[in-house]
Short mmCIF file of all heavy atoms in Angstrom, two decimals:
data_model
loop_
_atom_site.label_atom_id
_atom_site.label_comp_id
_atom_site.label_asym_id
_atom_site.label_seq_id
_atom_site.Cartn_x
_atom_site.Cartn_y
_atom_site.Cartn_z
N MET A 105 0.31 -2.57 7.33
CA MET A 105 1.25 -2.03 6.37
C MET A 105 0.51 -1.80 5.06
O MET A 105 0.11 -2.74 4.39
CB MET A 105 2.40 -3.03 6.19
CG MET A 105 3.16 -2.84 4.92
SD MET A 105 4.59 -3.89 4.66
CE MET A 105 4.01 -5.52 4.98
N PRO A 106 0.31 -0.53 4.66
CA PRO A 106 -0.34 -0.25 3.39
C PRO A 106 0.56 -0.62 2.21
O PRO A 106 1.75 -0.32 2.22
CB PRO A 106 -0.57 1.26 3.41
CG PRO A 106 -0.35 1.69 4.81
CD PRO A 106 0.54 0.68 5.43
N ILE A 107 -0.04 -1.24 1.22
CA ILE A 107 0.63 -1.50 -0.05
C ILE A 107 -0.20 -0.79 -1.11
O ILE A 107 -1.37 -1.11 -1.31
CB ILE A 107 0.73 -2.99 -0.36
CG1 ILE A 107 1.52 -3.70 0.75
CG2 ILE A 107 1.39 -3.22 -1.72
CD1 ILE A 107 1.52 -5.21 0.63
N ILE A 108 0.40 0.18 -1.77
CA ILE A 108 -0.30 0.97 -2.76
C ILE A 108 0.20 0.56 -4.13
O ILE A 108 1.39 0.65 -4.43
CB ILE A 108 -0.04 2.48 -2.53
CG1 ILE A 108 -0.50 2.88 -1.12
CG2 ILE A 108 -0.74 3.31 -3.60
CD1 ILE A 108 -0.02 4.25 -0.69
N SER A 109 -0.72 0.11 -4.96
CA SER A 109 -0.37 -0.32 -6.31
C SER A 109 -0.87 0.71 -7.32
O SER A 109 -2.03 1.12 -7.27
CB SER A 109 -1.02 -1.68 -6.60
OG SER A 109 -0.69 -2.12 -7.90
N VAL A 110 0.03 1.13 -8.22
CA VAL A 110 -0.28 2.17 -9.19
C VAL A 110 0.01 1.62 -10.58
O VAL A 110 1.05 1.03 -10.81
CB VAL A 110 0.59 3.42 -8.94
CG1 VAL A 110 0.31 4.49 -9.98
CG2 VAL A 110 0.40 3.95 -7.53
N VAL A 111 -0.92 1.85 -11.50
CA VAL A 111 -0.69 1.51 -12.90
C VAL A 111 -0.57 2.82 -13.67
O VAL A 111 -1.47 3.65 -13.63
CB VAL A 111 -1.84 0.65 -13.48
CG1 VAL A 111 -1.59 0.36 -14.95
CG2 VAL A 111 -2.00 -0.64 -12.69
N LEU A 112 0.56 3.00 -14.36
CA LEU A 112 0.81 4.21 -15.12
C LEU A 112 1.14 3.84 -16.56
O LEU A 112 1.83 2.85 -16.79
CB LEU A 112 2.03 4.96 -14.57
CG LEU A 112 1.91 5.74 -13.29
CD1 LEU A 112 3.27 6.31 -12.90
CD2 LEU A 112 0.91 6.86 -13.43
N GLY A 113 0.66 4.64 -17.48
CA GLY A 113 1.14 4.51 -18.84
C GLY A 113 2.62 4.88 -18.86
O GLY A 113 3.04 5.80 -18.17
N GLU A 114 3.40 4.15 -19.64
CA GLU A 114 4.84 4.41 -19.66
C GLU A 114 5.13 5.81 -20.17
O GLU A 114 4.31 6.42 -20.85
CB GLU A 114 5.55 3.38 -20.54
CG GLU A 114 5.19 3.46 -21.99
CD GLU A 114 5.82 2.36 -22.83
OE1 GLU A 114 6.58 1.53 -22.29
OE2 GLU A 114 5.57 2.33 -24.04
N GLY A 115 6.30 6.30 -19.81
CA GLY A 115 6.73 7.60 -20.30
C GLY A 115 7.02 8.63 -19.22
O GLY A 115 7.50 9.72 -19.51
N ARG A 116 6.73 8.31 -17.97
CA ARG A 116 7.04 9.26 -16.89
C ARG A 116 8.53 9.21 -16.59
O ARG A 116 9.18 8.18 -16.75
CB ARG A 116 6.28 8.94 -15.61
CG ARG A 116 4.75 8.89 -15.65
CD ARG A 116 4.11 9.98 -16.47
NE ARG A 116 2.71 10.16 -16.25
CZ ARG A 116 1.74 9.33 -16.65
NH1 ARG A 116 2.01 8.20 -17.22
NH2 ARG A 116 0.47 9.64 -16.46
N THR A 117 9.06 10.31 -16.11
CA THR A 117 10.47 10.36 -15.75
C THR A 117 10.69 9.68 -14.40
O THR A 117 9.74 9.50 -13.62
CB THR A 117 10.98 11.81 -15.65
OG1 THR A 117 10.32 12.46 -14.55
CG2 THR A 117 10.73 12.57 -16.95
N LYS A 118 11.95 9.36 -14.11
CA LYS A 118 12.28 8.80 -12.80
C LYS A 118 11.86 9.76 -11.69
O LYS A 118 11.33 9.34 -10.66
CB LYS A 118 13.78 8.53 -12.69
CG LYS A 118 14.24 7.31 -13.43
CD LYS A 118 15.72 7.08 -13.19
CE LYS A 118 16.19 5.88 -13.98
NZ LYS A 118 17.63 5.60 -13.73
N GLN A 119 12.10 11.06 -11.92
CA GLN A 119 11.75 12.04 -10.90
C GLN A 119 10.25 12.09 -10.66
O GLN A 119 9.80 12.20 -9.52
CB GLN A 119 12.29 13.42 -11.25
CG GLN A 119 12.14 14.42 -10.12
CD GLN A 119 12.89 13.98 -8.86
OE1 GLN A 119 14.07 13.65 -8.92
NE2 GLN A 119 12.20 13.95 -7.73
N GLN A 120 9.46 12.02 -11.72
CA GLN A 120 8.00 12.02 -11.56
C GLN A 120 7.54 10.81 -10.75
O GLN A 120 6.67 10.93 -9.88
CB GLN A 120 7.31 12.02 -12.93
CG GLN A 120 7.41 13.34 -13.65
CD GLN A 120 6.86 13.26 -15.05
OE1 GLN A 120 7.12 12.31 -15.79
NE2 GLN A 120 6.11 14.28 -15.44
N LYS A 121 8.12 9.66 -11.00
CA LYS A 121 7.75 8.46 -10.25
C LYS A 121 8.20 8.56 -8.80
O LYS A 121 7.46 8.15 -7.88
CB LYS A 121 8.31 7.22 -10.93
CG LYS A 121 7.61 6.93 -12.26
CD LYS A 121 8.14 5.71 -12.95
CE LYS A 121 9.35 6.08 -13.77
NZ LYS A 121 9.82 5.00 -14.64
N ARG A 122 9.36 9.13 -8.57
CA ARG A 122 9.83 9.34 -7.19
C ARG A 122 8.91 10.30 -6.45
O ARG A 122 8.55 10.07 -5.28
CB ARG A 122 11.26 9.86 -7.19
CG ARG A 122 12.27 8.82 -7.63
CD ARG A 122 13.65 9.41 -7.79
NE ARG A 122 14.56 8.37 -8.23
CZ ARG A 122 15.77 8.61 -8.71
NH1 ARG A 122 16.22 9.85 -8.80
NH2 ARG A 122 16.54 7.60 -9.09
N ASP A 123 8.53 11.37 -7.13
CA ASP A 123 7.61 12.34 -6.52
C ASP A 123 6.27 11.69 -6.19
O ASP A 123 5.68 11.96 -5.13
CB ASP A 123 7.40 13.54 -7.44
CG ASP A 123 8.64 14.41 -7.60
OD1 ASP A 123 9.59 14.28 -6.79
OD2 ASP A 123 8.66 15.22 -8.55
N LEU A 124 5.78 10.86 -7.09
CA LEU A 124 4.51 10.16 -6.85
C LEU A 124 4.63 9.25 -5.63
O LEU A 124 3.74 9.24 -4.77
CB LEU A 124 4.11 9.35 -8.09
CG LEU A 124 2.84 8.51 -7.95
CD1 LEU A 124 1.62 9.38 -7.64
CD2 LEU A 124 2.62 7.69 -9.22
N CYS A 125 5.72 8.50 -5.54
CA CYS A 125 5.91 7.61 -4.38
C CYS A 125 5.93 8.40 -3.08
O CYS A 125 5.31 7.99 -2.09
CB CYS A 125 7.20 6.82 -4.54
SG CYS A 125 7.13 5.53 -5.80
N ARG A 126 6.61 9.52 -3.08
CA ARG A 126 6.66 10.35 -1.86
C ARG A 126 5.28 10.89 -1.51
O ARG A 126 4.88 10.89 -0.35
CB ARG A 126 7.67 11.48 -2.04
CG ARG A 126 9.10 10.99 -2.01
CD ARG A 126 10.11 12.13 -2.09
NE ARG A 126 11.46 11.59 -2.17
CZ ARG A 126 12.18 11.50 -3.29
NH1 ARG A 126 11.69 11.95 -4.43
NH2 ARG A 126 13.39 10.98 -3.28
N ALA A 127 4.55 11.37 -2.52
CA ALA A 127 3.22 11.93 -2.26
C ALA A 127 2.26 10.85 -1.76
O ALA A 127 1.47 11.10 -0.84
CB ALA A 127 2.67 12.58 -3.53
N LEU A 128 2.32 9.67 -2.34
CA LEU A 128 1.45 8.58 -1.89
C LEU A 128 1.81 8.13 -0.48
O LEU A 128 0.93 7.84 0.34
CB LEU A 128 1.52 7.41 -2.86
CG LEU A 128 0.89 7.65 -4.22
CD1 LEU A 128 1.22 6.51 -5.18
CD2 LEU A 128 -0.61 7.85 -4.11
N THR A 129 3.10 8.11 -0.18
CA THR A 129 3.54 7.75 1.17
C THR A 129 3.02 8.78 2.18
O THR A 129 2.46 8.41 3.22
CB THR A 129 5.07 7.65 1.24
OG1 THR A 129 5.49 6.60 0.36
CG2 THR A 129 5.55 7.36 2.65
N ASP A 130 3.18 10.05 1.85
CA ASP A 130 2.68 11.11 2.74
C ASP A 130 1.17 11.00 2.93
O ASP A 130 0.66 11.19 4.04
CB ASP A 130 3.03 12.48 2.18
CG ASP A 130 4.53 12.79 2.24
OD1 ASP A 130 5.26 12.09 2.98
OD2 ASP A 130 4.96 13.73 1.54
N ALA A 131 0.45 10.69 1.86
CA ALA A 131 -1.01 10.55 1.95
C ALA A 131 -1.40 9.38 2.86
O ALA A 131 -2.33 9.48 3.66
CB ALA A 131 -1.62 10.38 0.56
N ALA A 132 -0.69 8.27 2.73
CA ALA A 132 -0.98 7.11 3.57
C ALA A 132 -0.69 7.42 5.04
O ALA A 132 -1.46 7.04 5.93
CB ALA A 132 -0.17 5.90 3.11
N ILE A 133 0.40 8.11 5.29
CA ILE A 133 0.73 8.50 6.66
C ILE A 133 -0.39 9.35 7.25
O ILE A 133 -0.86 9.11 8.37
CB ILE A 133 2.08 9.26 6.70
CG1 ILE A 133 3.22 8.31 6.35
CG2 ILE A 133 2.29 9.92 8.06
CD1 ILE A 133 4.54 9.02 6.05
N ALA A 134 -0.85 10.34 6.49
CA ALA A 134 -1.91 11.23 6.96
C ALA A 134 -3.25 10.52 7.10
O ALA A 134 -4.00 10.77 8.06
CB ALA A 134 -2.05 12.42 6.01
N ALA A 135 -3.56 9.64 6.18
CA ALA A 135 -4.89 9.01 6.16
C ALA A 135 -5.05 7.88 7.16
O ALA A 135 -6.11 7.74 7.76
CB ALA A 135 -5.20 8.50 4.75
N VAL A 136 -4.01 7.07 7.33
CA VAL A 136 -4.18 5.89 8.18
C VAL A 136 -3.20 5.83 9.35
O VAL A 136 -3.19 4.85 10.09
CB VAL A 136 -4.11 4.57 7.35
CG1 VAL A 136 -5.28 4.47 6.41
CG2 VAL A 136 -2.81 4.44 6.60
N GLY A 137 -2.41 6.89 9.51
CA GLY A 137 -1.57 6.99 10.70
C GLY A 137 -0.47 5.96 10.81
O GLY A 137 -0.20 5.46 11.91
N VAL A 138 0.18 5.62 9.70
CA VAL A 138 1.29 4.68 9.73
C VAL A 138 2.61 5.42 9.62
O VAL A 138 2.64 6.61 9.31
CB VAL A 138 1.17 3.64 8.59
CG1 VAL A 138 -0.04 2.76 8.79
CG2 VAL A 138 1.14 4.32 7.24
N LYS A 139 3.69 4.73 9.86
CA LYS A 139 5.03 5.30 9.69
C LYS A 139 5.43 5.13 8.23
O LYS A 139 5.01 4.19 7.55
CB LYS A 139 6.03 4.58 10.58
CG LYS A 139 5.77 4.74 12.05
CD LYS A 139 6.76 3.96 12.86
CE LYS A 139 6.43 4.07 14.35
NZ LYS A 139 7.35 3.26 15.17
N ALA A 140 6.29 6.02 7.76
CA ALA A 140 6.75 5.95 6.37
C ALA A 140 7.36 4.59 6.04
O ALA A 140 7.16 4.05 4.94
CB ALA A 140 7.77 7.06 6.10
N GLU A 141 8.06 4.01 6.99
CA GLU A 141 8.71 2.71 6.78
C GLU A 141 7.72 1.58 6.54
O GLU A 141 8.09 0.51 6.07
CB GLU A 141 9.59 2.36 7.98
CG GLU A 141 10.73 3.33 8.22
CD GLU A 141 10.29 4.62 8.93
OE1 GLU A 141 9.26 4.63 9.65
OE2 GLU A 141 10.97 5.64 8.74
N GLN A 142 6.47 1.81 6.88
CA GLN A 142 5.44 0.78 6.71
C GLN A 142 4.73 0.86 5.36
O GLN A 142 3.97 -0.03 5.02
CB GLN A 142 4.40 0.90 7.83
CG GLN A 142 4.97 0.63 9.21
CD GLN A 142 3.96 0.91 10.29
OE1 GLN A 142 3.54 2.05 10.47
NE2 GLN A 142 3.56 -0.13 11.00
N VAL A 143 4.96 1.92 4.63
CA VAL A 143 4.24 2.14 3.36
C VAL A 143 5.04 1.54 2.21
O VAL A 143 6.23 1.80 2.06
CB VAL A 143 4.00 3.64 3.11
CG1 VAL A 143 3.26 3.86 1.80
CG2 VAL A 143 3.24 4.26 4.27
N ARG A 144 4.36 0.76 1.39
CA ARG A 144 4.95 0.18 0.17
C ARG A 144 4.20 0.74 -1.03
O ARG A 144 2.96 0.79 -1.03
CB ARG A 144 4.81 -1.34 0.14
CG ARG A 144 5.31 -2.07 1.38
CD ARG A 144 6.82 -1.92 1.55
NE ARG A 144 7.34 -2.74 2.61
CZ ARG A 144 7.62 -2.32 3.83
NH1 ARG A 144 7.38 -1.07 4.17
NH2 ARG A 144 8.13 -3.12 4.74
N VAL A 145 4.93 1.18 -2.04
CA VAL A 145 4.33 1.66 -3.28
C VAL A 145 4.92 0.84 -4.42
O VAL A 145 6.14 0.70 -4.54
CB VAL A 145 4.60 3.16 -3.52
CG1 VAL A 145 4.00 3.61 -4.85
CG2 VAL A 145 4.05 4.00 -2.37
N VAL A 146 4.04 0.27 -5.23
CA VAL A 146 4.46 -0.50 -6.39
C VAL A 146 3.92 0.19 -7.63
O VAL A 146 2.72 0.40 -7.75
CB VAL A 146 3.92 -1.95 -6.34
CG1 VAL A 146 4.35 -2.73 -7.56
CG2 VAL A 146 4.35 -2.64 -5.05
N ILE A 147 4.83 0.56 -8.54
CA ILE A 147 4.42 1.18 -9.79
C ILE A 147 4.57 0.16 -10.91
O ILE A 147 5.66 -0.40 -11.11
CB ILE A 147 5.26 2.43 -10.11
CG1 ILE A 147 5.03 3.49 -9.04
CG2 ILE A 147 4.93 2.97 -11.50
CD1 ILE A 147 5.90 4.73 -9.20
N ASN A 148 3.48 -0.08 -11.61
CA ASN A 148 3.49 -0.94 -12.79
C ASN A 148 3.31 -0.06 -14.00
O ASN A 148 2.27 0.57 -14.17
CB ASN A 148 2.35 -1.96 -12.71
CG ASN A 148 2.53 -2.92 -11.56
OD1 ASN A 148 3.46 -3.69 -11.53
ND2 ASN A 148 1.63 -2.84 -10.59
N GLU A 149 4.35 0.01 -14.84
CA GLU A 149 4.26 0.80 -16.06
C GLU A 149 3.71 -0.07 -17.18
O GLU A 149 4.20 -1.16 -17.43
CB GLU A 149 5.63 1.35 -16.45
CG GLU A 149 6.09 2.46 -15.54
CD GLU A 149 7.32 3.13 -16.07
OE1 GLU A 149 8.41 2.59 -15.84
OE2 GLU A 149 7.19 4.20 -16.69
N THR A 150 2.71 0.46 -17.84
CA THR A 150 2.05 -0.26 -18.92
C THR A 150 2.39 0.40 -20.25
O THR A 150 2.23 1.61 -20.38
CB THR A 150 0.52 -0.25 -18.70
OG1 THR A 150 0.24 -0.84 -17.43
CG2 THR A 150 -0.20 -1.00 -19.78
N PRO A 151 2.85 -0.39 -21.23
CA PRO A 151 3.08 0.19 -22.55
C PRO A 151 1.79 0.82 -23.07
O PRO A 151 0.70 0.29 -22.84
CB PRO A 151 3.50 -1.00 -23.41
CG PRO A 151 4.02 -2.01 -22.43
CD PRO A 151 3.19 -1.81 -21.19
N LEU A 152 1.92 1.93 -23.77
CA LEU A 152 0.73 2.65 -24.24
C LEU A 152 -0.11 1.84 -25.23
O LEU A 152 -1.29 2.10 -25.39
CB LEU A 152 1.14 3.99 -24.85
CG LEU A 152 1.80 4.97 -23.88
CD1 LEU A 152 2.15 6.27 -24.59
CD2 LEU A 152 0.92 5.24 -22.67
N ASP A 153 0.48 0.84 -25.85
CA ASP A 153 -0.31 0.00 -26.75
C ASP A 153 -0.97 -1.16 -26.01
O ASP A 153 -1.64 -1.98 -26.60
CB ASP A 153 0.52 -0.50 -27.94
CG ASP A 153 1.72 -1.31 -27.54
OD1 ASP A 153 2.08 -1.32 -26.35
OD2 ASP A 153 2.32 -1.95 -28.43
N HIS A 154 -0.82 -1.20 -24.69
CA HIS A 154 -1.48 -2.21 -23.86
C HIS A 154 -2.61 -1.60 -23.03
O HIS A 154 -3.15 -2.25 -22.14
CB HIS A 154 -0.48 -2.87 -22.91
CG HIS A 154 0.53 -3.71 -23.60
ND1 HIS A 154 1.43 -4.47 -22.91
CD2 HIS A 154 0.79 -3.94 -24.91
CE1 HIS A 154 2.21 -5.11 -23.75
NE2 HIS A 154 1.84 -4.79 -24.99
N TYR A 155 -2.93 -0.35 -23.29
CA TYR A 155 -3.91 0.38 -22.48
C TYR A 155 -4.83 1.13 -23.43
O TYR A 155 -4.38 1.88 -24.29
CB TYR A 155 -3.15 1.34 -21.56
CG TYR A 155 -3.99 2.13 -20.59
CD1 TYR A 155 -4.86 1.50 -19.72
CD2 TYR A 155 -3.89 3.51 -20.54
CE1 TYR A 155 -5.62 2.23 -18.82
CE2 TYR A 155 -4.64 4.25 -19.64
CZ TYR A 155 -5.50 3.60 -18.78
OH TYR A 155 -6.24 4.33 -17.90
N SER A 156 -6.13 0.89 -23.29
CA SER A 156 -7.06 1.54 -24.22
C SER A 156 -8.31 2.01 -23.51
O SER A 156 -8.65 1.56 -22.43
CB SER A 156 -7.45 0.58 -25.35
OG SER A 156 -8.27 -0.46 -24.85
N VAL A 157 -8.99 2.94 -24.17
CA VAL A 157 -10.31 3.40 -23.76
C VAL A 157 -11.17 3.40 -25.02
O VAL A 157 -10.74 3.89 -26.07
CB VAL A 157 -10.26 4.83 -23.16
CG1 VAL A 157 -11.66 5.37 -22.91
CG2 VAL A 157 -9.44 4.83 -21.87
N ALA A 158 -12.33 2.81 -24.92
CA ALA A 158 -13.27 2.72 -26.04
C ALA A 158 -12.63 2.03 -27.25
O ALA A 158 -12.90 2.37 -28.38
CB ALA A 158 -13.81 4.10 -26.42
N GLY A 159 -11.76 1.07 -26.98
CA GLY A 159 -11.16 0.28 -28.04
C GLY A 159 -9.99 0.93 -28.76
O GLY A 159 -9.45 0.36 -29.70
N VAL A 160 -9.58 2.10 -28.33
CA VAL A 160 -8.47 2.80 -28.96
C VAL A 160 -7.33 2.89 -27.96
O VAL A 160 -7.50 3.41 -26.86
CB VAL A 160 -8.89 4.22 -29.42
CG1 VAL A 160 -7.72 4.95 -30.07
CG2 VAL A 160 -10.08 4.16 -30.35
N THR A 161 -6.16 2.37 -28.33
CA THR A 161 -5.03 2.39 -27.40
C THR A 161 -4.48 3.80 -27.26
O THR A 161 -4.67 4.66 -28.13
CB THR A 161 -3.88 1.47 -27.87
OG1 THR A 161 -3.30 2.00 -29.06
CG2 THR A 161 -4.36 0.05 -28.09
N PHE A 162 -3.80 4.01 -26.16
CA PHE A 162 -3.19 5.31 -25.94
C PHE A 162 -2.06 5.55 -26.94
O PHE A 162 -1.79 6.69 -27.30
CB PHE A 162 -2.70 5.44 -24.50
CG PHE A 162 -3.82 5.85 -23.58
CD1 PHE A 162 -4.78 4.95 -23.17
CD2 PHE A 162 -3.92 7.15 -23.15
CE1 PHE A 162 -5.82 5.34 -22.34
CE2 PHE A 162 -4.96 7.56 -22.32
CZ PHE A 162 -5.92 6.64 -21.92
N ALA A 163 -1.43 4.50 -27.41
CA ALA A 163 -0.41 4.66 -28.45
C ALA A 163 -1.07 5.19 -29.72
O ALA A 163 -0.53 6.09 -30.38
CB ALA A 163 0.28 3.33 -28.72
N GLU A 164 -2.24 4.66 -30.08
CA GLU A 164 -2.97 5.16 -31.26
C GLU A 164 -3.37 6.62 -31.07
O GLU A 164 -3.26 7.43 -31.99
CB GLU A 164 -4.22 4.32 -31.52
CG GLU A 164 -3.93 2.92 -32.01
CD GLU A 164 -5.19 2.09 -32.10
OE1 GLU A 164 -5.84 1.88 -31.05
OE2 GLU A 164 -5.53 1.65 -33.21
N ARG A 165 -3.84 6.96 -29.89
CA ARG A 165 -4.24 8.34 -29.60
C ARG A 165 -3.04 9.28 -29.74
O ARG A 165 -3.15 10.37 -30.28
CB ARG A 165 -4.82 8.45 -28.19
CG ARG A 165 -6.16 7.78 -28.03
CD ARG A 165 -6.56 7.77 -26.54
NE ARG A 165 -7.73 6.95 -26.34
CZ ARG A 165 -8.98 7.41 -26.33
NH1 ARG A 165 -9.22 8.69 -26.50
NH2 ARG A 165 -9.98 6.59 -26.15
N GLU A 166 -1.90 8.83 -29.23
CA GLU A 166 -0.69 9.64 -29.32
C GLU A 166 -0.27 9.83 -30.77
O GLU A 166 0.09 10.93 -31.19
CB GLU A 166 0.42 8.95 -28.51
CG GLU A 166 1.56 9.86 -28.14
CD GLU A 166 2.49 9.18 -27.16
OE1 GLU A 166 3.33 8.37 -27.60
OE2 GLU A 166 2.39 9.48 -25.96
N GLU A 167 -0.32 8.74 -31.56
CA GLU A 167 0.02 8.82 -32.98
C GLU A 167 -0.91 9.79 -33.70
O GLU A 167 -0.48 10.60 -34.52
CB GLU A 167 -0.06 7.44 -33.63
CG GLU A 167 1.02 6.48 -33.18
CD GLU A 167 0.74 5.04 -33.59
OE1 GLU A 167 -0.21 4.78 -34.38
OE2 GLU A 167 1.48 4.16 -33.12
N GLN A 168 -2.20 9.70 -33.40
CA GLN A 168 -3.18 10.56 -34.03
C GLN A 168 -2.95 12.03 -33.68
O GLN A 168 -3.05 12.91 -34.51
CB GLN A 168 -4.61 10.15 -33.66
CG GLN A 168 -5.69 10.89 -34.38
CD GLN A 168 -5.64 10.70 -35.90
OE1 GLN A 168 -5.33 9.62 -36.38
NE2 GLN A 168 -5.92 11.74 -36.63
N ALA A 169 -2.62 12.27 -32.42
CA ALA A 169 -2.38 13.65 -31.98
C ALA A 169 -1.18 14.26 -32.72
O ALA A 169 -1.17 15.45 -33.01
CB ALA A 169 -2.14 13.67 -30.47
N LEU A 170 -0.18 13.44 -33.01
CA LEU A 170 0.99 13.94 -33.73
C LEU A 170 0.65 14.29 -35.18
O LEU A 170 1.28 15.16 -35.77
CB LEU A 170 2.13 12.91 -33.68
CG LEU A 170 2.75 12.68 -32.31
CD1 LEU A 170 3.75 11.53 -32.40
CD2 LEU A 170 3.43 13.93 -31.81
N LYS A 171 -0.33 13.61 -35.75
CA LYS A 171 -0.73 13.84 -37.14
C LYS A 171 -1.61 15.07 -37.30
O LYS A 171 -1.67 15.66 -38.35
CB LYS A 171 -1.47 12.63 -37.69
CG LYS A 171 -0.60 11.40 -37.87
CD LYS A 171 -1.42 10.24 -38.38
CE LYS A 171 -0.60 8.97 -38.44
NZ LYS A 171 -1.41 7.82 -38.85
N GLU A 172 -2.33 15.44 -36.22
CA GLU A 172 -3.27 16.56 -36.29
C GLU A 172 -2.50 17.88 -36.28
O GLU A 172 -1.51 18.03 -35.56
CB GLU A 172 -4.23 16.52 -35.10
CG GLU A 172 -5.17 15.34 -35.14
CD GLU A 172 -6.06 15.26 -33.92
OE1 GLU A 172 -5.97 16.13 -33.03
OE2 GLU A 172 -6.86 14.30 -33.85
N PRO A 173 -2.97 18.83 -37.08
CA PRO A 173 -2.31 20.14 -37.09
C PRO A 173 -2.49 20.83 -35.75
O PRO A 173 -3.53 20.72 -35.12
CB PRO A 173 -3.02 20.90 -38.19
CG PRO A 173 -4.29 20.17 -38.46
CD PRO A 173 -4.10 18.76 -37.98
N THR A 174 -1.46 21.53 -35.33
CA THR A 174 -1.54 22.27 -34.06
C THR A 174 -2.32 23.57 -34.27
O THR A 174 -2.31 24.15 -35.34
CB THR A 174 -0.15 22.61 -33.52
OG1 THR A 174 0.57 23.33 -34.49
CG2 THR A 174 0.59 21.34 -33.15
N LYS A 175 -3.02 23.98 -33.25
CA LYS A 175 -3.85 25.20 -33.33
C LYS A 175 -3.14 26.38 -32.77
O LYS A 175 -2.34 26.32 -31.94
CB LYS A 175 -5.18 24.96 -32.60
CG LYS A 175 -5.97 23.88 -33.24
CD LYS A 175 -7.26 23.65 -32.45
CE LYS A 175 -8.04 22.50 -33.07
NZ LYS A 175 -9.25 22.22 -32.35
#
């Protein structure tokens, strides 16, 4: 029984998460030949201020992007 764990930055819609679960289930079925009922998908949403790259959180990046003039 495949268990697929996904970490996402918060902010996705319910529909986006549902679509992701379906796509991951389909991928597991195709890749390892299991039935849909055997596939488990766990989505862990992480607040953007709990996730960073190079010491800068995604919340900070988002704030900065809002401050920058649009081109």
Side-chain angles (χ1 to χ4, degrees):
M105 160 176 50
I107 301 172
I108 302 167
S109 180
V110 178
V111 178
L112 285 176
E114 66 184 359
R116 302 319 195 288
T117 67
K118 284 184 182 182
Q119 189 60 52
Q120 288 173 316
K121 291 180 274 189
R122 289 173 181 166
D123 292 345
L124 177 61
C125 288
R126 288 184 184 102
L128 291 170
T129 298
D130 290 344
I133 292 167
V136 294
V138 295
K139 296 178 183 177
E141 298 79 25
Q142 296 174 296
V143 180
R144 308 295 187 261
V145 178
V146 179
I147 296 175
N148 295 295
E149 288 189 278
T150 302
L152 297 180
D153 59 348
H154 292 186
Y155 183 54
S156 70
V157 172
V160 180
T161 68
F162 277 77
E164 290 173 299
R165 291 172 189 266
E166 199 170 80
E167 291 167 9
Q168 186 61 37
L170 292 174
K171 292 178 185 176
E172 293 177 0
T174 56
K175 297 178 183 179

